[in-house]
Amino acid sequence: MAKVTGTLYTYPKNYRAYKALIAAQYSGAHLVVPRDFVFGETNKSDEFLKKFPLGKVPALETSKGEYITESNAIAYYVSNSVLRGVTDAEQAEIIQWLSFADAEIQPASSAWVFPLLGIMPMNKQNVEAAKEDVKRALTVLDKHLTSKTYLVGERVTLADICVAMTLLYLYQYILEPSLRESYPNVNRWFQTFMNQPQVLAVVPNFKLAEKTLEFDPKKYAELQGKVSGKKEKKEKEPKEKKPKEEKPKAADKPSKSEDMDAAEAALAAEPKSSNPFDNMPKGTFDMDDFKRFYSNEDEAKSIPYFWTKFDPQNYSIWFCEYKYADELTKTFMSCNLISGMYQRLDKMRKAAFASVCLFGTDNDSTISGIWVWRGQDLAFELCPDWQIDYESYSWTKLDAADPKTKDLVAQYFSWTGKDKDGRDFNQGKIFK
Amino acid sequence: MVLCGIECVQRISQYLDVSPGKLYMSENNNVAANGLVDSQSTEGFSTIIQAMVKNSKYPAILGDDSVTQALVRQWLEYAAVCINFADNSAFERRVLNELNTILKTNTYVTGTKKTIADVSMYYSIHGLVNKMSPQEKAEHVHLSRWCDNMQQDEKLRQSMDSINFSMMHLYL
């Protein structure tokens, strides 16, 4: 079976998109999540709606031009045969658990979690009913997992991926120790699943709830302000689909699709996590000023300028080397590797500068470079968004006072010299 | 007879694709190996297993963080001191109950990943689990669950019986 490659459209931290991303980790499918996706804009654009008429995410566009929506379908598509179940009976059981997650867990979980996140109004009756539903679903699951390590068969399948992701918010926000102690088997299974390397690659640093979130009317009012503001704007647009409000509302349980959309909009509207560099002292080194000077002046001037302005108290200089140089082939592909990394690190631009160079020729080349950023530690560890590429490089912190550092900086900033094995400079890229 | 003796070590060495050296029982009734580490003799279950893992292509099976590594050593020690003598029926009950308790909250003996502690335990208690009645299996449901998961790995199971756990559901 050929491995799927494609683009997965989603807003960040979407538990439904996680299903596909985790399945891809297991199968080796290659999914790229576009960084410039803006919820409520990208997925409402004509171009997007032409491919995905419902305008919902996650949505998958494969390299073969296939368009798939609905998280379970996408996760299935990017799975390998082990995840899908080997025998007919296993496959049927897996579908059974996917339906269980969507019908028994998801609505109840949303009805309980979303009011606490401020995404939905607090209606005590609904929440109490949801608690009962969650209890029932977890009891069933706990019984099943008494004698089973994983949901279907004796290894991780799509069933584990989808059920665990549907429980993600419950474990993250609601199920404090006293609420989860009645489900030891589910707890054991969930913890084991979340610690699989393939899952850690997608959902790192997951922590079980220590204390149940409490309803905060202020947060709700704030978020609702944002969401309804957004909606009004959209309704003025002529091409907008019928406003969702016209759908009949279910009396006791809120209708699923409506809430999900409002919820997703609210989640996406949550303020983006602030830039980690903002918490560090700015120091005396003005990154923008240096970048301007570097762009406008010759290196003969800009390198001394760097050293007069550089503030070693609050900034650090690093040397990086690409670890897998023997896998590099065409030079233009290697250059794309560098510019791709720059693109993914967009948020670092504010407080970082780099010159990364390619040395050598096709099939005999190395990549290395000099980075400067705010703070004394490896900056990539500050933000999960920055961790895609950096492990492919080895990182050495340079001592700004060391004359060798001056030489290296001069060499890399001026794009001259050779790599350590004597390959000639081929081309360089500047991160600014 | 002891449960963590020559046969158990041989099976572990097969699983790890390494030679255990020449195995014998020392005068202290401990398993020992000649020629496993250089040309010396090595004595003790835990020591031999750690040496074999280091000789093998699977060093990660000793645990991938320091807590897991410590727990692996703890359980290898437990195997040598407790499971080893569980062929005596009083010990047997205690060991099976203790293992069932630890596996209630842990998928694998040391937590969320399979390690050499699971492998060693599987070989040492296979015989005990195999002779349990369906009711006893149900009484030790967490141990049974773990055992059923372990035996799916054919390389691990080698030529040993696949233990049947289907009847225990009658007693759950």
Side-chain angles (χ1 to χ4, degrees):
Chain A
M1 192 169 49
K3 282 178 187 164
V4 177
T5 55
T7 307
L8 185 71
Y9 296 93
T10 176
Y11 54 88
K13 305 198 168 149
N14 178 352
Y15 76 89
R16 289 190 205 147
Y18 284 163
K19 297 181 193 173
L21 292 171
I22 293 171
Q25 287 287 330
Y26 277 95
S27 69
H30 186 66
L31 299 184
V32 177
V33 175
R35 294 276 145 176
D36 52 358
F37 180 88
V38 181
F39 186 82
E41 286 177 27
T42 314
N43 59 321
K44 299 295 172 193
S45 68
D46 288 346
E47 194 198 353
F48 190 91
L49 291 172
K50 230 181 259 166
K51 301 174 189 167
F52 307 103
L54 280 174
K56 281 170 76 174
V57 292
L60 174 70
E61 176 176 3
T62 69
S63 55
K64 290 189 231 151
E66 299 149 322
Y67 303 108
I68 320 260
T69 58
E70 296 301 332
S71 61
N72 291 344
I74 299 171
Y76 179 86
Y77 191 58
V78 302
S79 288
N80 55 22
S81 56
V82 175
L83 289 181
R84 291 176 184 177
V86 178
T87 64
D88 286 354
E90 279 180 358
Q91 289 167 8
E93 274 183 73
I94 289 170
I95 296 176
Q96 172 201 308
W97 285 111
L98 300 197
S99 303
F100 175 85
D102 289 346
E104 307 297 324
I105 306 173
Q106 194 274 324
S109 161
S110 304
W112 191 354
V113 182
F114 288 165
L116 302 182
L117 288 174
I119 299 167
M120 243 166 75
M122 183 71 174
N123 176 325
K124 219 151 184 217
Q125 230 177 339
N126 285 349
V127 173
E128 288 309 315
K131 284 183 186 176
E132 285 310 308
D133 290 346
V134 167
K135 263 188 210 164
R136 210 188 43 204
L138 286 176
T139 308
V140 170
L141 207 52
D142 196 65
K143 186 144 195 304
H144 181 77
L145 288 167
T146 312
S147 59
K148 305 276 280 173
T149 303
Y150 301 107
L151 286 173
V152 178
E154 290 290 343
R155 55 191 129 56
V156 171
T157 65
L158 211 45
D160 300 289
I161 297 176
C162 293
V163 174
M165 285 306 105
T166 312
L167 287 170
L168 194 70
Y169 286 164
L170 281 172
Y171 268 111
Q172 188 171 0
Y173 298 118
I174 304 284
L175 295 174
E176 60 180 22
S178 66
L179 289 175
R180 63 175 184 258
E181 68 183 4
S182 325
Y183 317 107
N185 300 309
V186 186
N187 298 340
R188 181 193 64 234
W189 160 84
F190 185 77
Q191 290 267 56
T192 299
F193 179 77
M194 294 307 289
N195 277 297
Q196 299 297 312
Q198 295 88 343
V199 181
L200 287 173
V202 176
V203 196
N205 312 324
F206 179 81
K207 292 222 166 45
L208 295 176
E210 277 166 18
K211 186 137 186 29
T212 304
L213 268 190
E214 275 168 31
F215 181 66
D216 177 359
K218 244 186 163 162
K219 191 173 178 187
Y220 170 68
E222 260 172 38
L223 281 171
Q224 287 310 301
K226 266 188 208 159
V227 176
S228 55
K230 250 191 178 173
K231 272 196 179 158
E232 264 171 37
K233 200 181 98 204
K234 273 192 257 157
E235 275 158 22
K236 282 180 200 141
E237 292 166 9
K239 273 183 185 164
E240 178 63 21
K241 305 180 285 185
K242 275 193 179 177
K244 297 229 153 85
E245 275 74 6
E246 285 175 22
K247 275 188 190 167
K249 280 189 178 171
D252 51 5
K253 269 192 197 168
S255 107
K256 184 176 151 191
S257 62
E258 177 199 85
D259 284 313
M260 289 320 300
D261 235 56
E264 281 176 353
L267 270 182
E270 265 190 294
K272 289 220 174 84
S273 60
S274 62
N275 193 315
F277 285 133
D278 292 346
N279 305 328
M280 296 181 189
K282 278 211 169 89
T284 56
F285 182 52
D286 183 340
M287 196 54 102
D288 286 335
D289 171 64
F290 165 69
K291 286 178 182 170
R292 226 173 296 126
F293 197 92
Y294 180 85
S295 309
N296 296 334
E297 302 286 339
D298 199 62
E299 287 89 26
K301 281 186 184 167
S302 62
I303 294 171
Y305 189 80
F306 172 79
W307 287 111
T308 52
K309 298 284 175 182
F310 182 70
D311 166 13
Q313 290 291 317
N314 296 299
Y315 288 79
S316 55
I317 308 174
W318 295 72
F319 180 68
C320 75
E321 264 184 303
Y322 189 64
K323 285 186 198 161
Y324 312 109
D326 48 347
E327 290 169 18
L328 295 175
T329 54
K330 298 273 182 215
T331 52
F332 78 88
M333 287 163 74
S334 309
C335 280
N336 288 344
L337 205 68
I338 306 173
S339 34
M341 173 174 181
Y342 284 178
Q343 262 175 28
R344 288 183 280 273
L345 293 174
D346 200 41
K347 252 173 61 185
M348 272 180 73
R349 277 178 214 276
K350 244 176 86 179
F353 173 84
S355 174
V356 178
C357 303
L358 177 75
F359 295 90
T361 50
D362 283 354
N363 301 315
D364 176 31
S365 56
T366 62
I367 297 174
S368 49
I370 293 284
W371 286 75
V372 180
W373 57 63
R374 193 182 296 163
Q376 298 298 329
D377 297 318
L378 200 54
F380 309 102
E381 279 154 12
L382 298 172
C383 174
D385 291 351
W386 298 344
Q387 293 169 2
I388 297 169
D389 303 88
Y390 88 103
E391 285 180 330
S392 309
Y393 293 81
S394 59
W395 295 91
T396 323
K397 192 174 174 181
L398 301 179
D399 176 3
D402 186 346
K404 279 188 206 142
T405 304
K406 299 228 153 111
D407 291 346
L408 271 177
V409 167
Q411 181 196 335
Y412 278 87
F413 281 17
S414 60
W415 290 0
T416 51
K418 298 172 188 271
D419 73 0
K420 59 175 192 238
D421 308 317
R423 291 183 192 83
D424 286 323
F425 171 81
N426 182 307
Q427 46 192 309
K429 298 224 172 255
I430 297 293
F431 182 72
K432 61 180 182 195
Chain B
M1 256 300 279
V2 288
L3 292 182
C4 301
I6 293 175
E7 191 197 335
C8 183
V9 171
Q10 268 166 347
R11 291 206 181 270
I12 298 170
S13 74
Q14 240 181 70
Y15 178 75
L16 292 170
D17 303 321
V18 291
S19 156
K22 190 175 166 355
L23 296 171
Y24 62 97
M25 294 308 283
S26 74
E27 54 198 28
N28 306 322
N29 203 23
N30 276 333
V31 63
N34 267 337
L36 174 60
V37 183
D38 303 327
S39 54
Q40 297 168 1
S41 77
T42 312
E43 185 174 333
F45 184 69
S46 175
T47 319
I48 292 177
I49 288 174
Q50 291 181 50
M52 289 198 303
V53 172
K54 283 180 186 148
N55 288 344
S56 78
K57 280 178 273 165
Y58 320 103
I61 203 168
L62 272 181
D64 49 12
D65 56 74
S66 51
V67 176
T68 315
Q69 285 163 10
L71 285 169
V72 164
R73 288 181 173 83
Q74 172 194 310
W75 285 105
L76 288 178
E77 211 51 50
Y78 178 84
V81 176
C82 300
I83 301 179
N84 199 14
F85 305 106
D87 48 355
N88 154 325
S89 68
F91 261 122
E92 175 180 345
R93 284 186 80 83
R94 198 186 111 191
V95 161
L96 293 178
N97 287 338
E98 282 172 352
L99 292 179
N100 191 52
T101 307
I102 184 72
L103 289 165
K104 182 174 176 181
T105 48
N106 285 346
T107 293
Y108 300 104
V109 177
T110 58
T112 58
K113 288 188 193 110
K114 198 193 284 185
T115 63
I116 191 70
D118 294 282
V119 172
S120 313
M121 197 107 91
Y122 170 77
Y123 290 129
S124 54
I125 65 163
H126 181 274
L128 301 183
V129 181
N130 202 16
K131 68 178 174 59
M132 282 174 156
S133 70
Q135 189 173 355
E136 285 169 325
K137 285 175 187 157
E139 283 162 7
H140 299 89
V141 62
H142 304 297
L143 177 63
S144 299
R145 181 208 78 234
W146 168 85
C147 208
D148 200 9
N149 183 252
M150 293 295 291
Q151 70 178 359
Q152 305 302 319
D153 180 351
E154 289 190 6
K155 185 170 182 220
L156 178 73
R157 190 155 60 79
Q158 299 173 4
S159 58
M160 300 168 82
D161 283 346
S162 172
I163 305 172
N164 184 347
F165 292 98
S166 57
M167 297 287 278
M168 84 173 170
H169 293 274
L170 296 173
Y171 299 91
L172 281 179

